Amino acid sequence: MDEMDLMKKLRDVPSPDAEAYDRARTALRAAMAEPGSTVVRPRRWRSWPAVSAAAVGAAAVAVAVVMATTSGTTPAGPADAGRSEAAPQAVVESPLVKLASEVKAGGTLPGDASLIIGTKPAPDGTPYVYYTVYSDRGQIFKGDSPQTLASSVAKNDDQAMPFDAKVMAAARLAADGDVEKARTAMVTPAGNALGLGLSPAEADKAWADAQAEMAEEFRKLGKQVPAPRPRPTGKELENRINNHLWSNSTYALFVGAANTDVRAGVLKLLATIKEVTVAEAEAGGKRVLNLSASPDILGGDASTVLTLDFDNGLPISNEIFPAKDSKTPSKHAIVTYKSSRVTLADVAAGKI
């Protein structure tokens, strides 16, 4: 089933209770446990890149076009980080923004929920299939078969957490046109430890508070508290911001891709990451877009290629490529996705 991996420093810790787990997850997202590490979002098929998290899929592929936003720039960090350094430049002809507009204009298909069927490699290498339903009301149901998914829906076993609501809201905000505000919201659903939009003094305080929170969680889990580290600035800060934006946006996509607003918003947000490249290609007899993210924004251990349907932006696959120079390279892996609109009543009845 879909699981939240703890950071490398916590791999050997027994699972805490739900409340402690949630607190630890929030703190760990601040990305401060290891020098050079970043925290992204919950991943489903491997350990977090340099503790990141995270889909999430690499790159050294194809001829690519640098992507960025058409809706203006946004402060990527506190004032001393430099607006021009961390904010993307406007690019008029963005394929992702164009596709997002087409998705939005196409309207919502019938149904009241988004179904994602993912297939990932299990530890023994065999395919593992999992099911995720995201309702238009914000509920999330999961299962490892149509039967367990149906049971989850029938029992109203809603597994959505505050983090889910925040990333989905950020995607919808971007779809409605406020990409600048949505970008900040998508980077900070678990807190603003990186200090986006804050003064240097406010950013330092936010960083210190987040480190103190993390230290407390390490103590509660019986782990050695890592030494405090200075707040990232410059390129390191930019990479961390892009890490959070990529990871949280793709997480939203892999949960709610068949929701028009979520998908359109994610496309717009990914277009603001100038380090992400996009290339048109062909796969399985259809045109696709390959979005490539380098190790620089994935924690250093891997690069990834996210493949989307050229015509509708639905995710097709996410492929992880180990970074050859990493001390702890990730394993090569491919996760495939099938997305569709469904009704909760049909899912509860096992009709998927």
Side-chain angles (χ1 to χ4, degrees):
M1 283 297 305
D2 301 348
E3 299 159 341
M4 178 83 69
D5 298 326
L6 286 179
M7 305 178 78
K8 293 173 183 175
K9 286 185 176 293
L10 298 181
R11 279 180 178 163
D12 57 344
V13 178
S15 299
D17 60 54
E19 182 181 357
Y21 179 83
D22 190 51
R23 290 195 308 268
R25 181 184 65 173
T26 299
L28 292 172
R29 285 184 192 281
M32 293 174 292
E34 300 178 15
S37 71
T38 47
V39 173
V40 284
R41 59 178 167 68
R43 297 230 305 339
R44 295 188 162 119
W45 65 94
R46 64 182 181 89
S47 59
W48 299 25
V51 189
S52 276
V56 349
V61 236
V63 177
V65 179
V66 173
M67 305 303 303
T69 183
T70 61
S71 60
T73 58
T74 179
D80 63 336
R83 185 181 183 92
S84 61
E85 174 184 62
Q89 300 298 312
V91 174
V92 175
E93 299 299 329
S94 167
L96 293 183
V97 172
K98 178 177 182 292
L99 179 56
S101 298
E102 293 172 352
V103 168
K104 182 73 172 175
T108 302
L109 295 175
D112 59 10
S114 167
L115 168 66
I116 306 291
I117 303 175
T119 303
K120 63 182 179 180
D124 62 0
T126 59
Y128 174 76
V129 181
Y130 61 93
Y131 300 75
T132 305
V133 165
Y134 171 68
S135 80
D136 294 346
R137 292 184 293 172
Q139 303 155 294
I140 294 179
F141 304 99
K142 301 177 182 180
D144 56 6
S145 69
Q147 293 73 29
T148 56
L149 179 65
S151 176
S152 177
V153 174
K155 293 186 297 184
N156 195 31
D157 182 20
D158 180 7
Q159 298 183 41
M161 304 185 74
F163 175 84
D164 298 293
K166 290 177 181 178
V167 297
M168 296 305 185
R172 287 190 168 91
L173 184 60
D176 289 337
D178 197 340
V179 178
E180 183 171 333
K181 185 176 180 180
R183 188 173 188 272
T184 298
M186 188 62 86
V187 173
T188 60
N192 192 11
L194 296 178
L196 270 73
L198 303 181
S199 69
E202 292 171 331
D204 283 339
K205 183 179 185 304
W207 179 259
D209 289 347
Q211 287 203 109
E213 181 182 355
M214 170 179 276
E216 180 61 21
E217 296 304 334
F218 269 76
R219 282 190 286 270
K220 289 178 179 178
L221 294 171
K223 300 300 293 183
Q224 181 177 353
V225 177
R229 296 191 295 112
R231 177 171 61 84
T233 58
K235 188 61 177 178
E236 182 188 2
L237 174 60
E238 183 180 356
N239 286 341
R240 285 172 180 260
I241 290 169
N242 287 335
N243 176 292
H244 287 36
L245 182 57
W246 169 271
S247 180
N248 295 338
S249 295
T250 53
Y251 171 77
L253 185 69
F254 298 148
V255 172
N259 181 292
T260 296
D261 288 340
V262 170
R263 185 165 78 258
V266 167
L267 292 172
K268 287 185 177 181
L269 289 167
L270 293 178
T272 70
I273 308 176
K274 58 183 172 58
E275 289 81 3
V276 170
T277 60
V278 62
E280 183 178 342
E282 184 173 310
K286 65 167 62 178
R287 287 196 300 173
V288 300
L289 290 176
N290 285 332
L291 280 63
S292 302
S294 71
D296 289 341
I297 62 173
L298 288 181
D301 290 343
S303 58
T304 182
V305 171
L306 169 61
T307 299
L308 306 177
D309 188 295
F310 182 91
D311 295 318
N312 57 33
L314 290 172
I316 295 173
S317 66
N318 201 21
E319 186 167 8
I320 299 295
F321 296 84
K324 65 177 182 179
D325 297 327
S326 171
K327 294 180 180 179
T328 55
S330 301
K331 294 181 179 180
H332 177 265
I334 301 177
V335 182
T336 60
Y337 303 94
K338 294 181 179 179
S339 310
S340 60
R341 288 288 289 177
V342 295
T343 65
L344 290 179
D346 281 348
V347 174
K351 302 175 182 178
I352 62 173

